Amino acid sequence: DGGITQSPKYLFRKEGQNVTLSCEQNLNHDAMYWYRQDPGQGLRLIYYSQIVNDFQKGDIAEGYSVSREKKESFPLTVTSAQKNPTAFYLCASSPRGLAGVVKDIQYFGAGTRLSVL
Amino acid sequence: GESVGLHLPTLSVQEGDNSIINCAYSNSASDYFIWYKQESGKGPQFIIDIRSNMDKRQGQRVTVLLNKTVKHLSLQIAATQPGDSAVYFCAENINGGSQGNLIFGKGTKLSVKP
């Protein structure tokens, strides 16, 4: 099946711990995105990447880090600097990146729910 | 899964009725709009999109209307079914944005009564 796979579905973080959320896509999409969703709020952009080995901060990047070593993968690390990490994290991808305006549909994974112990 | 619909505007409709969900977007330069459906504990699913050179687009049981004069977008669902119960939100893309970044609304929770 083609799509976007996020893992794990549920994740618990201890104080002072870094945790990494996985996002893999087999859609051959260029662009990938990470969003945070809190109850009653819209999706907020954390980081995005339009091409391998390049990524940009979104609106709420503080306390998070990403890498894009492969086209298929865009892992998100929630660092200990993120003081309020409890949220639902969504990864998305879309088919065009640089060398053209990206105005395509973003397709989402099923999400990872992160909680603090 | 945990609800993502807390404190959202709620629309309650009877099964079989038509539903209209509204969205006011923020930027007059936005030229591309998407409606997503999100069921509890799941990721958003694409429903329908529309570009600013159109004012109406129809899909299967859904219609999106765009009024650029008042920066308003609506999603109409015909013959609403229990499976349509979810949070619906619109997203806009601002003209000239090279990153394809979408700005998402907060959403409306649709509840369908059997």
Side-chain angles (χ1 to χ4, degrees):
Chain A
D1 285 338
I4 302 172
T5 302
Q6 289 187 243
S7 62
K9 188 171 175 65
Y10 299 96
L11 186 59
F12 297 91
R13 192 191 89 167
K14 296 179 181 178
E15 189 173 344
Q17 185 183 39
N18 294 350
V19 292
T20 297
L21 284 61
S22 170
C23 180
E24 303 278 330
Q25 55 100 358
N26 60 4
L27 301 168
N28 199 32
H29 285 176
D30 291 301
M32 297 186 74
Y33 309 82
W34 273 106
Y35 293 92
R36 172 181 170 137
Q37 187 175 38
D38 294 281
Q41 296 194 33
L43 276 64
R44 293 185 289 169
L45 183 65
I46 304 173
Y47 268 98
Y48 63 97
S49 167
Q50 293 187 303
I51 198 168
V52 174
N53 293 323
D54 186 60
F55 48 83
Q56 305 295 328
K57 292 182 179 180
D59 301 319
I60 55 166
E62 186 174 351
Y64 301 97
S65 66
V66 294
S67 63
R68 187 88 186 275
E69 297 176 3
K70 299 186 298 182
K71 187 176 185 178
E72 306 79 28
S73 179
F74 191 41
L76 173 75
T77 296
V78 183
T79 74
S80 57
Q82 172 50 248
K83 298 306 179 187
N84 183 24
T86 297
F88 191 50
Y89 290 87
L90 289 160
C91 177
S93 69
S94 59
R96 277 196 284 275
L98 290 173
V101 176
V102 180
K103 288 187 182 289
D104 290 290
I105 301 161
Q106 290 185 19
Y107 298 91
F108 287 84
T112 293
R113 185 162 301 283
L114 176 62
S115 302
V116 177
L117 289 176
Chain B
E2 187 175 323
S3 170
V4 296
L6 296 178
H7 313 301
L8 292 174
T10 299
L11 175 66
S12 186
V13 300
Q14 202 70 38
E15 181 178 359
D17 287 351
N18 296 335
S19 302
I20 300 176
I21 300 170
N22 297 304
C23 176
Y25 62 92
S26 58
N27 197 312
S28 57
S30 294
D31 66 346
Y32 178 60
F33 305 88
I34 304 175
W35 277 101
Y36 285 94
K37 171 187 179 183
Q38 186 176 25
E39 296 174 78
S40 184
K42 297 184 179 179
Q45 296 173 272
F46 168 82
I47 301 173
I48 192 168
D49 60 351
I50 189 168
R51 299 198 181 272
S52 59
N53 60 352
M54 304 172 69
D55 54 17
K56 180 179 180 179
R57 191 170 187 210
Q58 288 184 292
Q60 186 178 14
R61 272 202 315 121
V62 295
T63 300
V64 55
L65 298 177
L66 175 63
N67 185 330
K68 293 181 287 292
T69 303
V70 295
K71 293 190 288 185
H72 184 268
L73 197 64
S74 69
L75 177 70
Q76 300 178 1
I77 304 174
T80 312
Q81 302 168 1
D84 294 327
S85 294
V87 174
Y88 291 81
F89 50 90
C90 62
E92 62 184 294
N93 181 274
I94 296 174
N95 185 33
S98 60
Q99 297 84 16
N101 294 347
L102 298 173
I103 300 171
F104 291 86
K106 295 183 179 181
T108 296
K109 184 176 183 179
L110 176 65
S111 294
V112 182
K113 296 177 286 187

